[in-house]
Every structure is written in C-alpha cells, then in structure tokens.
Amino acid sequence: MLKYIGKRFIYMIITLFVIVTATFFLMQAAPGGPFSGERKLPPEIEANLNEHYGLDKPLFVQYASYLKSVAMWDFGPSFKYKGQSVNDLINSGFPVSFTLGAEAILLALAFGVLFGVLAALYHNKWQDYTIAILTIFGISVPSFILATILQYIFSIKLELFPVAGWESWAYTFLPSIALASMPMAFIARLSRSSMIEVLNSDYIRTAKAKGLSRPSVTVRHALRNALLPVVTYMGPMAASILTGSFIIESIFGIPGLGAHFVNSITNRDYTVIMGVTVFFSVLLLLCVLIVDVLYGLIELFTKCAPKPGIPKSENQAFQSKERSLDHAEHS
C-alpha cells in the first residue's frame, strides 16, 4: 500500500507541474495585460508597474521565478487587491468555500445513497419511478439554473430563506442544494444499479435463506459492496462541486474563493487566476489520491470479510486461495 501511495504521489507532482506550466503560459498568451482596462494608464506608470512586479523580464525568467514561488507555496501579490497577496485571498475565501462544499458533499452522499438504495429495494415500483424522475431532473438541470429557481420559489415567493449573503446557516441551505443536486442524482443512479446487482448475488440469497432480516442483509452485507462505485465517483464529485461553486457563489453573493476567481477574470488579475487554479488543482489531486486509497482499503476489507451463510472453514480456504492467486499475479 505504501508503495502504491508513493507512486500515486509522484504522478500527482507531475500532473501539478503540467497544470502550473499550462496555466502560466495560457495567461501569458491571453490578450491584454493586468494593467490594461477601460482607463489607459500613462506609459511611464505602466512601465514602472511592470518593473515592480517583474513583468518586464524575459518570459522564461518569469516562468522560473513563478515555479520557485509555487514550490514555496507563495503565489505572489494581487494586481487588483491593493496590499493583499494571493495567499491572503485564499486564506480568507477558502474556509467559506470549504464550508459550502462540505455541506453539499454531505447532502449528495447522504441523500444520493438513500435514494439509490430505496430505488433498488423497490425495483420497478412507484418509488423507483419517482426517484428516477428526480434523478433525471437533477442531472439535466444545471446548477446555476436550479439556483435561480430555488431563489425565486423559496426566497421571493415563500420567503423561507434569504436570497443572498453569508451570515448564518440559513444562507447556506439553497446554495448547498444547488451544488449537490447533480452529484446527488449521479450517486443515486450508481447506488441503484450497484445495489440491484448485489441484491441478486448468491451470497445475498443465502443470507435471506438463513433467515437474516431485511435491514441486516441490506445494511451489513449488500450496502458495503454496493458503495464501491460511489467511492470511485467521490473524486469527480469533489471536482464538480468545487468548480460549480464558482458560479453559485457569485449568484448567492457568497464571499468565497470562487467569487475571487470570477472577479479576477474580469479584472485580469493574473496572479489570482493562476494561484486559485493551482490551489484547486492541488485539492482535486489530493481528493483523487484519498479516493484511490479508500477504494483499495474497501476492496481489501470486502475481500477479507466472510460471506454470510458460508462456513468459517470455507471462508478461510476461499481467502487463502484468493491470496495465492494475488501472489501469483504479482509474481
């Protein structure tokens, strides 16, 4: 396992290097500059600003300097936010984005798995059809469209939640639902298909024949194996929620990192764009690494766990045979 984690970590470093390089040169290739706008600065002032920020140096000198600063986790100063560095903006905005993203992830996991299990248990019944309609709606409607619908219904018409802002828990309810809708629908569909396959397996039928209760069979034996595809989807789910928060934070007026990113694009604040991109890339790569490790641990635990209804001696012989086959494959 440690060798696998080390190999994945090396791949993560290489991927991050490619992302940093691509982001830097794409920003350099973009038309205009950080000090170009509606009001043109005098050439002398613009030249002084370029010299102050090192923008007058050759491109590869700037690239080498940026790589060195990123390696030291220093993304440089912001061109538009006076007296603030990119690290200051990340430190102030990320806790807000993390709170919103964590709430959306918990909602997506909890209700996605619940709906998927219910659809599988009541396969081809009205519960299954109702959940199917809800998941199609969640997948089809973009998060920013759903956000405006939620604002209109629950904030303007019913006046149950505030339209925008970030002051208390009530302000997180609508944006977290808008963020969680699409991942929740995907998780429900994954859980449903995986749960149906597991419930039709031989060891589940054996457990039912031995008289185990339906909740015990569902929770203790079927759900554990059915969650493997959901764990695999957690990496892309984190990516969709984090990138989706950019627009959602702007719609709901949330002072998170996504709002800084959107504003930096309109302001041509190159250091903020590159810094936030690298920061989110590191987060996503760490999420993928954690998901890979969790998947391996769950698969190992599932392989070693005894099947219900099979005698202990047969379980031990089966596990010993699996270990022998695994050793032969690695050899």
Side-chain angles (χ1 to χ4, degrees), residues 177-255:
I177 290 180
L179 275 176
S181 60
M182 186 176 294
M184 186 191 303
F186 273 112
I187 290 175
R189 294 176 69 89
L190 283 174
S191 302
R192 176 187 177 276
S193 59
S194 181
M195 196 72 178
I196 290 174
E197 182 179 354
V198 171
L199 289 174
N200 291 326
S201 59
D202 293 336
Y203 76 92
I204 294 295
R205 284 195 288 267
T206 303
K208 292 179 180 178
K210 289 188 66 177
L212 293 179
S213 63
R214 188 177 186 182
S216 177
V217 172
T218 302
V219 177
R220 293 183 56 190
H221 304 297
L223 185 60
R224 182 178 60 192
N225 293 322
L227 286 180
L228 286 175
V230 177
V231 174
T232 307
Y233 176 66
M234 286 177 63
M237 179 185 66
S240 65
I241 288 178
L242 288 175
T243 54
S245 67
F246 291 176
I247 306 300
I248 297 300
E249 288 178 12
S250 298
I251 293 174
F252 287 93
I254 298 173

Side-chain angles (χ1 to χ4, degrees), residues 160-181:
L160 296 177
F161 297 98
V163 178
W166 187 263
E167 298 179 11
S168 63
W169 175 85
Y171 289 84
T172 69
F173 188 75
L174 295 183
S176 61
I177 290 180
L179 275 176
S181 60

